[in-house]
Amino acid sequence: MVKFILLIPLNYNDGLEVPEEIFEGMLDEIFSLAEGFTVLPKVRGAYLMADGSKQVDWSSPIWITLEESMIDALKELVGSFAERLGQESMYLERTEST
């Protein structure tokens, strides 16, 4: 099993809050792929946008473990989240754990 940490933004780049049903729908999609997840308390971070501006976000860290064979599917899923949320990129970290 491989562990990943995904940060899901809680607001769109214009500051509007991501509706709870959209966030929960993304969690449902993660569950369908990985058969489980852990949601951690929200975190704050900053990102340099392509236009040079600083974007400060609150995000929800999600821990995911899945089989090595599912990694490409996870990357595709995260890409679809980025598109739906209007993100230039999203944080996805592969970690080493047992």
Side-chain angles (χ1 to χ4, degrees), residues 25-39:
M26 289 188 284
L27 291 180
D28 288 343
E29 291 178 73
I30 291 169
F31 184 82
S32 292
L33 178 69
E35 300 178 346
F37 58 82
T38 300
V39 179

Side-chain angles (χ1 to χ4, degrees), residues 2-6 62-64 66 71 74 92-94:
V2 181
K3 178 182 172 188
F4 286 86
I5 301 169
L6 169 63
I62 313 296
W63 287 358
I64 305 162
L66 44 73
I71 292 173
L74 176 62
L92 179 65
E93 175 184 348
R94 179 182 175 147

Side-chain angles (χ1 to χ4, degrees), residues 3-93:
K3 178 182 172 188
F4 286 86
I5 301 169
L6 169 63
L7 297 182
I8 297 181
L10 298 174
N11 298 84
Y12 294 103
N13 289 335
D14 63 5
L16 291 176
E17 190 173 320
V18 173
E20 185 70 21
E21 61 270 11
I22 298 222
F23 179 79
E24 290 297 326
M26 289 188 284
L27 291 180
D28 288 343
E29 291 178 73
I30 291 169
F31 184 82
S32 292
L33 178 69
E35 300 178 346
F37 58 82
T38 300
V39 179
L40 281 70
K42 70 180 182 177
V43 296
R44 184 173 181 238
Y47 176 78
L48 181 63
M49 302 290 286
D51 67 5
S53 64
K54 177 182 174 183
Q55 178 72 32
V56 178
D57 291 328
W58 284 98
S59 297
S60 184
I62 313 296
W63 287 358
I64 305 162
T65 58
L66 44 73
E67 297 289 337
E68 186 93 30
S69 63
M70 300 301 293
I71 292 173
D72 287 341
L74 176 62
K75 289 178 181 179
E76 286 180 29
L77 183 61
V78 172
S80 76
F81 291 169
E83 187 175 314
R84 284 182 254 170
L85 297 173
Q87 299 294 307
E88 291 181 0
S89 65
M90 287 183 64
Y91 183 88
L92 179 65
E93 175 184 348

